[in-house]
């Protein structure tokens, strides 16, 4: 059998590749002869993926609860994947596909496209959250949740990491503390003491941090602080401000950032809140939240007023945050 010139050229390129690393092509060709064909199930590690659902009770609906959390965490991972690429200006790919490292500058359209991807992930999560609102029997939920104490979605580290990568860390400070801390130039460690989520995990009766929060901090606090320091000049707002004046006017980018703000800080939290109302609201007084906190006063976006890009919104939009106004009035234009 004759080899075409194309095949011979490729063999030569392979030889060069292995020579470069002091390896012999001969050995690798042996390996190729012995190697099995790739299968779908091995590639996506299906068996492992499907072995990760381990309910604590026999209520069938608990599996829905576990899997939907896992699906959400995968979407969060996708969002973080995009955020990292923007933070480091996107990978520089050579024509042969080899990674040549991070680029020096960020392209505004690339930036907008990646933020749009994150918006798509969050839109998908917001829409599918009906699975949590309407897809489980309330009676089962209220029983099996008692076997899950004191764990809570509150402890989702990826959710907080998305926030850290997306905005200036100061914007994650509790809204009531922001005015008095503004302009004080506090470092990340100092600001962390006033992080907004402390309010969602403080015991109503004693004012102490809940076990849910203590465990969360023990595992992740140092990671969060390190990430916040890493993203000080790489979070999405810092990246936006580092663009040229002309690029900062890019309407596609501005719209994508504003949509992200609404998706993460209003739309998803509202759907999530809806599920808490559906399952925890009771006639004789509400079922306590997992961490023993007042979730009705904590979860609604209009109380938290988490805003990633305060400078992109006007006074009225700030005041109306989370009240349904933003969605209907701002996003009439789609690019
Ligand atoms: C029936 C479904 C759900 C209910 C009833 C529910 C309820 C709650 C409640 C009451 C809190 C307040 C903190 C606490 O005391 O535990 C909370 C926080 C939280 N949950 Fe859920 N949750 C549900 C599903 C989910 C899902 C699927 C996720 C996805 C990861 C999630 C992620 C979160 C996050 C990130 C927080 C913190 C929110 C914040 O700090 O603003 N939850 N949840």
């Amino acid at each position: 059998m004759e080899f075409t010139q194309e095949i011979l050229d490729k063999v030569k390129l392979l030889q060069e590749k292995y020579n470069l690393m002091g390896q012999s092509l001969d050995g690798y060709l042996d390996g190729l002869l012995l190697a099995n064909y790739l299968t779908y199930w091995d590639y996506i590690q299906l068996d492992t993926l499907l072995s990760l659902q381990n309910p604590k009770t026999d209520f069938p609906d608990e599996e829905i609860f576990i899997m939907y959390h896992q699906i959400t965490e995968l979407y969060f991972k996708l969002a973080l994947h995009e955020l990292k690429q923007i933070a480091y200006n996107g990978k520089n790919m050579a024509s042969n596909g080899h990674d040549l490292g991070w680029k020096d500058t960020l392209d505004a359209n690339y930036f907008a496209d990646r933020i749009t991807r994150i918006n798509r992930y969050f839109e998908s999560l917001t829409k599918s959250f009906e699975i949590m609102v309407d897809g489980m029997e309330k009676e089962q939920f209220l029983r099996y949740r008692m076997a899950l104490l004191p764990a809570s979605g509150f402890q989702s580290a990826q959710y907080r990491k998305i926030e850290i990568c997306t905005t200036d860390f100061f914007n994650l400070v509790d809204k009531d503390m922001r005015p008095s801390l503004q302009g004080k130039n506090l470092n990340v460690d100092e600001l962390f003491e006033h992080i907004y989520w402390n309010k969602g995990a403080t015991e109503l009766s004693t004012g102490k941090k809940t076990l849910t929060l203590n465990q969360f901090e023990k595992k992740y606090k140092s990671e969060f602080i390190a990430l916040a320091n890493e993203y000080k000049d790489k979070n999405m707002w810092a990246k936006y401000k580092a663009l040229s004046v002309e690029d900062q006017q890019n309407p596609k980018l501005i719209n994508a950032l504003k949509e992200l703000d609404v998706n993460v800080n209003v739309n998803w939290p509202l759907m999530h809140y809806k599920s808490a109302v559906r399952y925890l609201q009771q006639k004789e007084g509400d079922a306590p939240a997992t961490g023993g906190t007042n979730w009705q006063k904590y979860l609604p976006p209009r109380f938290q007023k988490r805003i990633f890009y305060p400078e992109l919104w006007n006074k009225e939009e700030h005041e109306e945050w989370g009240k349904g106004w933003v969605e209907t009035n701002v996003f009439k234009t789609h690019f």
Side-chain angles (χ1 to χ4, degrees), residues 65 68-69 72-73 76 129 132-133 136 141 144-145 150-156 159-160 163 196-197 200-201 212 268-269 272 275-277 279-280 288-293 295 298-299 304 306:
F65 191 66
Y68 189 74
H69 278 81
T72 304
E73 290 293 343
F76 286 170
F129 216 91
M132 288 289 95
V133 179
M136 299 177 295
F141 175 82
Y144 71 70
R145 75 187 279 267
S152 165
F154 178 92
Q155 296 173 317
S156 165
Y159 183 78
R160 313 300 182 187
E163 298 177 310
Y196 79 87
W197 65 70
T212 309
W268 187 87
H272 173 259
S275 72
V277 171
Y279 292 102
L280 304 178
T290 329
T293 55
W295 55 270
Y298 171 69
L299 288 178
Q304 290 195 6
R306 252 150 52 201

Side-chain angles (χ1 to χ4, degrees), residues 108-118 120 252-253 256:
N109 286 319
Y110 175 94
F111 191 174
D113 287 345
R114 301 294 148 140
I115 296 289
T116 303
R117 289 186 187 180
I118 303 174
R120 219 171 277 134
K252 191 174 143 190
L253 177 59

